Amino acid sequence: MKALKITYWVSTLVFATIFTTTGTLYLLHFPTFVKRATDLFYPPYLLEIIGTAKVLGGIALVTPKFPRLKEWAYAGFAFDFIGAIWSHFYVQGLGESVRLLVPLSILMVSYISYHRLQRWPETAIVKK
């Protein structure tokens, strides 16, 4: 069970850190992300919507309480990846869309390990 907890927390923290950071860069209209969005023919205001969702989703994933909110965050990130994969595939081809499978895999590891920990509640919460 200790390995499962470590797997969950490492994958969740890595994912949440990456997407909270990128969400913040979306909100700040960092030039790289603005270019990426315009290359996909997205309007610039969409950066605020996606950025806000990424920051809030990253926070929700690392918050130990509120399991329903965590489920919504996992679902939101999955929908985000589905849209991103199709957008990149449609505009830039297979190469760009395949690289998005890496963070999607990290999300899946976090999600699966989270649910396995929920099956054994005594291992899900560290008691003091």
Side-chain angles (χ1 to χ4, degrees), residues 21-22 24-40 42 47 88 92 96 99:
T21 303
T22 59
T24 303
L25 293 173
Y26 272 53
L27 291 170
L28 295 174
H29 283 252
F30 194 74
T32 304
F33 292 98
V34 172
K35 181 176 179 348
R36 213 181 277 175
T38 56
D39 287 349
L40 293 172
Y42 290 155
L47 292 172
H88 284 279
Q92 298 167 333
E96 285 297 312
R99 72 179 176 81

Side-chain angles (χ1 to χ4, degrees), residues 12-124:
T12 303
L13 288 172
V14 166
F15 186 87
T17 300
I18 291 169
F19 281 87
T20 303
T21 303
T22 59
T24 303
L25 293 173
Y26 272 53
L27 291 170
L28 295 174
H29 283 252
F30 194 74
T32 304
F33 292 98
V34 172
K35 181 176 179 348
R36 213 181 277 175
T38 56
D39 287 349
L40 293 172
F41 304 106
Y42 290 155
Y45 68 84
L46 196 61
L47 292 172
E48 282 90 9
I49 297 169
I50 296 173
T52 302
K54 286 183 178 198
V55 170
L56 293 176
I59 292 168
L61 289 182
V62 297
T63 304
K65 296 182 180 181
F66 311 110
R68 184 167 295 166
L69 183 63
K70 193 178 296 253
E71 287 293 327
W72 277 94
Y74 279 121
F77 280 119
F79 297 145
D80 178 54
F81 279 115
I82 291 168
I85 288 169
W86 276 107
S87 294
H88 284 279
F89 176 72
Y90 183 77
V91 174
Q92 298 167 333
L94 188 61
E96 285 297 312
S97 58
V98 168
R99 72 179 176 81
L100 293 170
L101 295 176
V102 173
L104 179 60
S105 300
I106 297 170
L107 180 70
M108 289 171 46
V109 167
S110 173
Y111 181 77
I112 291 167
S113 60
Y114 170 71
H115 278 280
R116 286 190 180 166
L117 283 171
Q118 296 310 303
R119 283 191 214 146
W120 300 288
E122 66 278 0
T123 64

